[in-house]
Amino acid sequence: MKKQMLILTLSLAMMATGCETLYKIAEEAIAVTGDPTDTEIVGGLKEALSSGAANAVSLLSQKGGYGKDPLIRIPFPSEAQFAANALRDIGLGRLVDTLEARLNDGAEKGARMALPIFRDAITQMTFADARNILLGSENAATIYFQDKTREQLLNAFAPHIKNSLDEVHATEIWTEITTRYNSIPLVRKKIETDLVRYATGRALDGLFAKLALEEKKIREQPLARSTALLQKVFSYADRQKPAGGN
């Protein structure tokens, strides 16, 4: 019924103006408001995830992408914070600050390596996955993506993080910190943190957080749906929401 009313309204407008442009507007409006096919749903979700992943990686791989973002900045390992406090107490706070800066530098250098891994995972999405994601919560795609790929990303991403950390000498600084702290007399709790795994995990947390923001934009902001396919697929998702629902 809505589609019929849309066609009638646009037809009357075209008769009144004789403007050929309105024919194109009518075709595009009908295409967007119609229900998407299974293929279009899968294609739309893949397009949305590809765009979101590319945007997230682009933001994080820039200088300061991690370090200047208070929401995802990688701090000194929390399980070793007691060591950071002790080092500051004995005048070695500069080491702690330098390590934090270089952890974030390393994450920024490694972030770009995640994009091809994301793209490979996106290509494997099934129709059932796509429909569940499309009609799910505002971060359903990110949750699915994280559940399906996090371990793979950790394993594939860790070598690049290690190389990045080595390039900025973060591992050397960490060794110096742990050695100095563990040598303090009467220390009962030694530092045994795996710095590479820690940095990789936090880097991925930040990446998924950015991806969730990109997903939320597409779900909630019509202007963020930059193609006809995204408009059609996510407009369909909007219509499936219960009245008054989120």
Side-chain angles (χ1 to χ4, degrees):
M1 188 62 167
K2 290 181 180 179
K3 185 185 292 187
Q4 293 173 341
M5 290 296 297
L6 177 62
I7 294 173
L8 177 60
T9 300
L10 290 171
S11 297
L12 291 174
M14 284 185 284
M15 290 173 62
T17 64
C19 180
E20 293 183 1
T21 302
L22 286 176
Y23 282 105
K24 183 177 181 180
I25 294 174
E27 291 175 353
E28 292 178 351
I30 292 169
V32 169
T33 56
D35 289 351
T37 65
D38 291 357
T39 299
E40 286 174 328
I41 288 176
V42 174
L45 261 294
K46 288 183 176 181
E47 183 177 319
L49 280 178
S50 295
S51 175
N55 290 340
V57 169
S58 176
L59 288 170
L60 295 181
S61 60
Q62 296 176 14
K63 182 65 176 176
Y66 278 90
K68 293 183 180 180
D69 188 332
L71 295 178
I72 62 171
R73 176 180 169 82
I74 303 174
F76 193 92
S78 59
E79 65 270 26
Q81 188 60 49
F82 63 91
N85 296 336
L87 289 167
R88 291 188 188 281
D89 288 342
I90 61 174
L92 294 174
R94 181 186 59 80
L95 278 177
V96 177
D97 295 337
T98 301
L99 175 68
E100 288 186 351
R102 293 186 180 178
L103 282 174
N104 288 277
D105 289 343
E108 290 154 15
K109 290 179 182 294
R112 69 197 69 173
M113 303 300 177
L115 189 55
I117 299 170
F118 272 116
R119 286 174 174 164
D120 287 345
I122 290 169
T123 60
Q124 299 173 21
M125 183 180 294
T126 67
F127 167 67
D129 294 332
R131 177 170 285 277
N132 289 336
I133 291 168
L134 180 65
L135 303 180
S137 63
E138 67 178 17
N139 63 339
T142 305
I143 291 173
Y144 167 84
F145 204 35
Q146 186 170 5
D147 289 343
K148 296 293 185 182
T149 67
R150 187 175 179 86
E151 281 304 313
Q152 178 187 353
L153 286 167
L154 279 170
N155 293 332
F157 202 43
H160 298 293
I161 280 285
K162 184 180 184 305
N163 289 338
S164 296
L165 293 176
D166 288 344
E167 286 177 7
V168 296
H169 307 291
T171 48
E172 294 176 17
I173 295 171
W174 180 246
T175 298
E176 183 178 358
I177 287 175
T178 56
T179 299
R180 290 201 182 194
Y181 178 79
N182 290 340
S183 66
I184 295 176
L186 304 180
V187 164
R188 295 181 179 179
K189 187 176 182 181
K190 303 294 185 181
I191 303 175
E192 298 178 351
T193 301
D194 182 334
L195 187 63
V196 172
R197 187 167 184 84
Y198 166 77
T200 302
R202 291 302 296 257
L204 291 180
D205 288 345
L207 186 57
F208 285 124
K210 287 294 185 183
L211 185 60
L213 290 175
E214 294 295 329
E215 178 184 356
K216 187 175 182 180
K217 285 180 186 177
I218 294 176
R219 288 186 184 274
E220 296 184 355
Q221 301 175 18
L223 291 179
R225 303 166 186 176
S226 56
T227 68
L229 180 58
L230 289 179
Q231 292 168 25
K232 183 172 187 177
V233 169
F234 283 95
S235 293
Y236 166 75
D238 292 341
R239 297 196 299 274
Q240 306 310 305
K241 296 178 181 178
N246 295 322

